[in-house]
Amino acid sequence: MAITGARQKAAVQALKASDWHLEGAFDVFYSQPQSKTHTDSRHLEELYNRYKDPYLDMIMADGIARLCNDLQVDPQDIVMLVVSWHMKAATMCEFSKQEFVGGLQSLGIDSLEKFQERIPFMRSELKDEQKFREIYTFSFGWAKEKGQKSLALDTAIGMWQLLFAEKHWPLVDHWCQFLQARHNKAISRDTWSQLLEFTRTVDSGLANYDAEGAWPYLIDEFVDYLNENGVGADGFSRTIGA
């Protein structure tokens, strides 16, 4: 009730429908059209104008920084990635008017207070496996430079550290060290996508890694790198960074 603003009856119905699982209840509640808060277009316009760039009809980095300050959220907080995903933002550190207003409407937000109330819900979405996959996939296009097909290595590493801090992949630091030592080039969409599959299907000790599997060459090289550097069965190296 505190997070969604739902009345007790609606909250109980959503919880019952999800067999009293809180995260499932959020999905039930927000998937029901009648549960969405009607937004006031004038308030949305005011919010947009509050953060809009003075020279462009967009919200740029400075405006997003002001929004984060008003929400009391660190701009580097992963929840801002979830916000961008909801807004279907095309580019990092930018919101078009359509993206900003449309995203807030879909979330039932038309004030800073409602925005703050939705933050815990958006943070909880990262724990949903399917939503995390969607957010991870979205991140590639969102983070890359306009007009580029690949993602700059430094940007990719920053995004992986952000995303896998949430999912606690034990090999993320080794992966980033490997890329800096052996690859030092931009990351393709295929590598970006396949790494998530690797983290989900191959255990951190590599016991179930199939060398004949259809992994991108970069992931095969990463496994060789781990073996060369003596990564233990628990996924933590005895030599890397020792």
Side-chain angles (χ1 to χ4, degrees):
M1 288 170 66
I3 292 170
T4 62
R7 295 181 181 276
Q8 183 173 345
K9 182 178 179 181
V12 169
Q13 287 175 340
L15 284 160
K16 283 183 176 178
S18 65
D19 197 25
W20 297 93
H21 290 111
L22 188 58
E23 289 171 22
F26 283 131
D27 290 336
V28 171
F29 180 81
Y30 285 114
S31 68
Q32 295 172 346
Q34 66 271 24
S35 73
K36 292 184 185 292
T37 305
H38 292 292
T39 53
D40 187 315
S41 59
R42 291 172 303 169
H43 291 166
L44 285 167
E45 187 81 19
E46 289 168 5
L47 265 183
Y48 174 73
N49 288 333
R50 178 171 180 163
Y51 302 109
K52 183 174 78 73
D53 187 87
Y55 305 108
L56 298 169
D57 190 17
M58 294 188 75
I59 296 175
M60 305 298 285
D62 287 349
I64 293 172
R66 293 199 308 274
L67 172 62
C68 290
N69 185 63
D70 289 345
L71 293 172
Q72 298 180 315
V73 171
D74 189 312
Q76 303 299 316
D77 192 316
I78 193 170
V79 79
M80 292 307 297
L81 171 59
V82 183
V83 169
S84 297
W85 171 65
H86 275 288
M87 292 183 178
K88 299 180 174 64
T91 306
M92 186 188 293
C93 297
E94 292 182 12
F95 294 136
S96 70
K97 184 173 184 179
Q98 182 178 354
E99 290 168 350
F100 185 78
V101 171
L104 294 189
Q105 281 178 327
S106 72
L107 288 161
I109 293 170
D110 60 7
S111 69
L112 277 174
E113 291 74 22
K114 289 179 183 177
F115 209 145
Q116 286 177 314
E117 289 171 0
R118 288 289 186 271
I119 294 293
F121 164 71
M122 286 187 275
R123 202 179 295 283
S124 77
E125 290 183 291
L126 291 160
K127 294 179 172 61
D128 181 291
E129 287 293 327
Q130 182 56 39
K131 288 182 180 179
F132 181 85
R133 179 188 290 272
E134 291 175 18
I135 292 165
Y136 180 93
T137 302
F138 161 83
S139 298
F140 182 89
W142 176 77
K144 69 181 178 64
E145 294 286 337
K146 291 179 181 178
Q148 297 296 313
K149 290 185 177 180
S150 299
L151 187 58
L153 181 60
D154 286 349
T155 304
I157 285 173
M159 293 302 300
W160 275 318
Q161 288 173 331
L162 183 70
L163 287 157
F164 289 126
E166 187 67 31
K167 297 305 284 185
H168 306 296
W169 181 43
L171 297 175
V172 63
D173 288 339
H174 299 325
W175 171 247
C176 294
Q177 289 167 5
F178 159 73
L179 292 173
Q180 290 169 322
R182 302 282 182 89
H183 185 60
N184 205 28
K185 287 186 284 189
I187 299 298
S188 70
R189 186 180 290 274
D190 182 55
T191 297
W192 180 267
S193 300
Q194 289 296 313
L195 184 72
L196 182 61
E197 295 307 314
F198 181 82
T199 68
R200 289 176 173 224
T201 57
V202 177
D203 64 54
S204 59
L206 309 177
N208 61 341
Y209 170 73
D210 180 7
E212 302 302 317
W215 297 112
Y217 81 93
L218 198 57
I219 290 180
D220 288 330
E221 286 188 2
F222 173 55
V223 172
D224 291 341
Y225 173 82
L226 292 176
N227 290 330
E228 288 169 15
N229 286 279
V231 172
D234 59 358
F236 292 97
S237 172
R238 294 185 294 274
T239 58
I240 302 175

